[in-house]
């Protein structure tokens, strides 16, 4: 078996999102209505794109 042509590495990152009515201008404040914290990874994004490429891959 030959080695895959593309190797992909994923990550997990702690993510903190802020819920606001409008995105603020640079160097201006904004009222935050709520926040969420969760773990986010790029693996699902990469794998969904990778399956459209006809090249052997390893994740």
């Amino acid at each position: 078996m030959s080695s895959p042509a593309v190797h992909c590495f994923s990550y997990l990152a702690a993510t903190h999102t802020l819920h606001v009515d409008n995105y603020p201008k640079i160097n201006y404040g904004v009222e935050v209505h709520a926040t969420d914290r969760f773990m986010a990874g790029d693996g699902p994004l990469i794998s969904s794109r990778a399956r459209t490429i006809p090249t052997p891959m390893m994740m």
Side-chain angles (χ1 to χ4, degrees), residues 11-17 36-41:
Y11 69 90
L12 279 177
T15 304
H16 185 196
T17 59
D36 290 317
R37 290 184 182 268
F38 54 92
M39 297 299 288

Side-chain angles (χ1 to χ4, degrees), residues 8-30:
C8 297
F9 300 91
S10 183
Y11 69 90
L12 279 177
T15 304
H16 185 196
T17 59
L18 306 175
H19 299 267
V20 299
D21 289 331
N22 295 304
Y23 197 77
K25 295 179 183 178
I26 295 175
N27 295 326
Y28 283 82
V30 66

Side-chain angles (χ1 to χ4, degrees), residues 35-59:
T35 64
D36 290 317
R37 290 184 182 268
F38 54 92
M39 297 299 288
D42 67 343
L45 297 172
I46 291 189
S47 63
S48 65
R49 175 64 179 120
R51 59 183 283 210
T52 66
I53 301 170
T55 302
M57 298 196 187
M58 175 185 285
M59 290 198 68

